[in-house]
Amino acid sequence: MENKYKQNKLWHCFYVLSLFFIFSNASAFDYSEALTKSLLYFEAQRSGRLPYNQRVPWRDHSGLTDGLEQGADLVGGYYDAGDHVKFGLPMAFTVTMLSWGVIEYGKEMASAGELEHALEAIKWGTDYFIKAHTSPNVLWAEVGDGDTDHYCWQRPEDMTTSRQAYKIDENNPGSDLAGETAAAMAAASIVFRETNPHYSHILLRHAQQVFEFGDKYRGKYDRSVGVVKSYYGSVSGYMDELLWGAIWLYKATDREEYINYVINKAHIFGGIGWAITEFSWDVKYAGIQILASKLLSEQKHKKHKGLLEEYRSKAEFYICSCLNKNNGSNIDRTNGGLLFTRRWNNMQYVSSASFLLTVYSDFLANLNQNLSCPRGNAAPEELFALARSQVDYILGLNPKKISYLVGYGLKYPTKVHHRGASIVSYRERKGFIGCTQGYDEWYGHNEQNPNVLIGALVGGPDRDDEFLDDRGNYVQTEACTYNTAPLVGVLAKLNQLDGLHLIGSY
């Protein structure tokens, strides 16, 4: 046992030294600044009554009657992107990823002075989910609808578009939305367990109820809430979200029923059947597979070793595809080195891949293992080096020499496709700006946005590393909460290692 401990310690030292070597040859980016700014972005996306400590000064209260017509208090939560609809599925995924980032790298966030801001970002979402879960078998899925919202170009403070709310219930199921919301609240309950145990308990109770509802009344939420199909349709179905919710509930409760769910439904729900090269708000399999892989290091899961190893093989298919070390299916890269999944909002896949690469790198390092891919092995530091290269590309190490994290660096997108950022601040000009007035006066003008959407990760360049900074180019210039959310944890780790490098250099 003592020899094994020494070996683990030696391997860990080797891993840290390897990362130190990587950083000693890295380009100089201020990851602390990037981390701070990434968390500011979530304050710009807030709906509802803003708190006294709101740090984004160009925003004000909005959506204060959300849910009123339906007899529910649905005030709060987040706008997903540049519009003013509150979509439950991407909002829940955003909160799950912020929570996972804190679970893995909370200490690193604390050392950077940003943990409290991360907790605030999570709680703004979970407070809304508690409101939206009005009874055990009712969960409000959406407020507003994309069609009417897109007719207008207004600040959120001036909204005249529909605030119709849509729900899932026993007669209108939505297991994918329920599973992801359960995952978000379960993960957040872990985050708040020590600092706010009462709130943690409330979240866990809601998570268990929502999961039970989603599992009992199965169905895709976009069949029950038809207005969401054109915006956040559930292409992958609901089986991945139910596994995702179950594994997060297991992590939060340590109850056998949830790990048994993940094991017993591994085959029929595709957990060990789907080898995927994407991790996103819609497709959760790679995240599930990595969480299941991490259970292998715990002695109590020895009886599940066979199936957990199958989960791990699929997790490693995803990681190998990022590294371009699978025989057939790999994630494409641009000439500049950016992982490229698809043209519309590609950065969401880059940030989520960077996070999973970082987490799996740590997992392998803790086991003293390398990754075995069809086209060669990879040491843990190689995985992390790829994650860092993606973040550095985002921050400006790319052919266009532009930072795709808004507000960071000397050159970044200034015409982000975002209603609130593109129109003069409500606090500066309180006069009402109408539905089409925003299009006439603000959408089409060639000047940069009057408000900087700090910390937003825009859709990013195309396959040829080309990028057009234009408000009408929403494929590339619109940002989403789930783009930035996975980046937070990676930036925290990068900042910590950057600090070690600086100490070493000193």
Side-chain angles (χ1 to χ4, degrees):
M1 189 72 179
E2 187 179 348
N3 286 337
K4 189 174 181 182
Y5 172 76
K6 286 178 180 177
Q7 286 173 355
N8 286 343
K9 199 169 182 182
L10 283 169
W11 178 270
H12 182 70
C13 289
F14 173 74
Y15 177 60
V16 172
L17 284 170
S18 299
L19 293 180
F20 176 81
F21 176 76
I22 290 168
F23 269 73
S24 67
N25 292 282
S27 56
F29 288 106
D30 189 339
Y31 298 116
S32 176
E33 180 191 347
L35 173 61
T36 296
K37 290 183 171 177
S38 70
L39 287 164
L40 270 171
Y41 168 60
F42 296 98
E43 298 191 23
Q45 294 301 110
R46 284 171 170 171
S47 181
R49 184 168 294 280
L50 302 186
Y52 72 92
N53 61 347
Q54 169 80 10
R55 296 179 296 158
V56 177
W58 51 269
R59 282 298 322 285
D60 211 322
H61 311 311
S62 64
L64 298 182
T65 61
D66 284 358
L68 187 63
E69 290 182 25
Q70 290 76 35
D73 176 7
L74 299 177
V75 176
Y78 288 111
Y79 304 120
D80 73 302
D83 54 20
H84 302 138
V85 184
K86 296 192 299 201
F87 293 103
L89 186 60
M91 193 194 305
F93 180 69
T94 295
V95 171
T96 306
M97 293 310 296
L98 283 170
S99 298
W100 194 0
V102 170
I103 290 165
E104 298 285 350
Y105 306 112
K107 289 180 181 178
E108 289 84 349
M109 291 181 199
S111 67
E114 292 297 334
L115 180 58
E116 283 305 311
H117 292 135
L119 298 183
E120 287 171 7
I122 293 167
K123 193 171 185 293
W124 194 266
T126 51
D127 283 352
Y128 174 76
F129 298 145
I130 290 170
K131 288 182 174 185
H133 184 220
T134 49
S135 66
N137 294 340
V138 174
L139 179 65
W140 291 90
E142 181 177 333
V143 180
D145 78 87
D147 293 342
T148 59
D149 183 88
H150 285 186
Y151 290 140
C152 295
W153 194 263
Q154 290 176 291
R155 301 174 298 195
E157 296 82 5
D158 293 326
M159 271 190 292
T160 57
T161 50
S162 168
R163 301 308 286 170
Q164 174 73 37
Y166 304 86
K167 67 182 177 181
I168 56 171
D169 56 25
E170 297 171 14
N171 299 316
N172 305 281
S175 303
D176 28 25
L177 174 63
E180 182 60 72
T181 307
M185 291 198 281
S189 76
I190 299 170
V191 167
F192 291 108
R193 186 179 289 157
E194 291 185 10
T195 59
N196 195 341
H198 177 66
Y199 187 66
S200 173
H201 178 74
I202 292 171
L203 287 173
L204 195 52
R205 180 168 53 83
H206 279 280
Q208 290 172 308
Q209 283 187 354
V210 170
F211 178 79
E212 185 178 341
F213 157 56
D215 188 41
K216 184 176 181 180
Y217 301 96
R218 292 183 188 170
K220 284 176 59 176
Y221 92 117
D222 60 9
R223 289 179 182 164
S224 299
V225 184
V227 294
V228 80
K229 273 190 176 176
S230 300
Y231 303 94
Y232 289 102
S234 182
V235 177
S236 71
Y238 60 78
M239 294 179 184
D240 54 335
E241 276 85 11
L242 287 177
L243 288 172
W244 182 239
I247 201 162
W248 276 112
L249 277 165
Y250 177 66
K251 285 180 68 66
T253 65
D254 204 32
R255 285 170 57 169
E256 284 286 312
E257 64 187 273
Y258 295 118
I259 187 60
N260 288 340
Y261 190 99
V262 174
I263 295 300
N264 295 338
K265 290 182 167 46
H267 287 284
I268 60 173
F269 276 13
I272 59 175
W274 284 104
I276 300 286
T277 58
E278 171 190 322
F279 177 56
S280 67
W281 61 264
D282 182 32
V283 187
K284 313 292 160 50
Y285 284 111
I288 298 159
Q289 290 154 357
I290 282 176
L291 285 174
S293 300
K294 285 164 67 72
L295 298 178
L296 280 164
S297 59
E298 300 176 31
Q299 186 66 25
K300 63 183 176 180
H301 296 120
K302 201 170 183 180
K303 61 183 177 182
H304 303 309
K305 188 174 186 293
L307 276 168
L308 291 177
E309 287 286 4
E310 290 190 57
Y311 271 109
R312 182 177 180 179
S313 72
K314 294 300 187 291
E316 296 192 342
F317 178 93
Y318 173 83
I319 298 296
C320 292
S321 76
C322 293
L323 293 166
N324 198 32
K325 289 193 173 186
N326 277 335
N327 279 331
S329 187
N330 292 300
I331 300 174
D332 290 340
R333 296 192 197 185
T334 68
N335 288 334
L338 184 71
L339 294 171
F340 194 85
T341 299
R342 53 181 61 92
R343 61 184 284 272
W344 193 312
N345 190 20
N346 181 62
M347 281 302 186
Q348 64 175 305
Y349 310 108
V350 176
S351 63
S352 60
S354 299
F355 182 82
L356 293 189
L357 283 162
T358 302
V359 169
Y360 209 72
S361 169
D362 290 343
F363 169 66
L364 289 175
N366 288 333
L367 291 179
N368 303 348
Q369 292 178 3
N370 290 332
L371 174 68
S372 178
C373 296
R375 291 172 54 187
N377 292 345
E381 55 268 25
E382 186 177 339
L383 278 64
F384 189 66
L386 176 58
R388 180 184 60 79
S389 74
Q390 299 305 295
V391 175
D392 287 354
Y393 186 109
I394 288 169
L395 297 181
L397 190 63
N398 56 64
K400 303 295 285 186
K401 294 182 172 57
I402 182 173
S403 165
Y404 293 105
L405 191 74
V406 178
Y408 179 89
L410 299 175
K411 183 183 177 185
Y412 50 81
T414 61
K415 300 175 187 176
V416 181
H417 182 92
H418 188 278
R419 289 157 174 74
S422 68
I423 302 174
V424 64
S425 169
Y426 178 81
R427 296 191 178 191
E428 186 178 324
R429 176 178 155 185
K430 285 188 166 57
F432 175 74
I433 294 175
C435 174
T436 58
Q437 185 183 354
Y439 275 117
D440 295 340
E441 293 186 20
W442 299 96
Y443 182 80
H445 72 76
N446 291 322
E447 296 176 19
Q448 64 185 42
N449 290 348
N451 310 304
V452 180
L453 191 64
I454 293 174
L457 178 57
V458 297
D462 63 19
R463 190 181 295 274
D464 298 316
D465 298 294
E466 292 297 324
F467 178 80
L468 176 63
D469 185 13
D470 183 271
R471 205 168 292 112
N473 181 22
Y474 46 83
V475 170
Q476 293 188 323
T477 64
E478 189 167 24
C480 301
T481 56
Y482 48 86
N483 294 17
T484 298
L487 205 58
V488 172
V490 186
L491 287 169
K493 172 149 187 172
L494 284 164
N495 178 60
Q496 182 212 35
L497 290 170
D498 202 31
L500 290 173
H501 163 54
L502 290 172
I503 291 168
S505 299
Y506 183 79

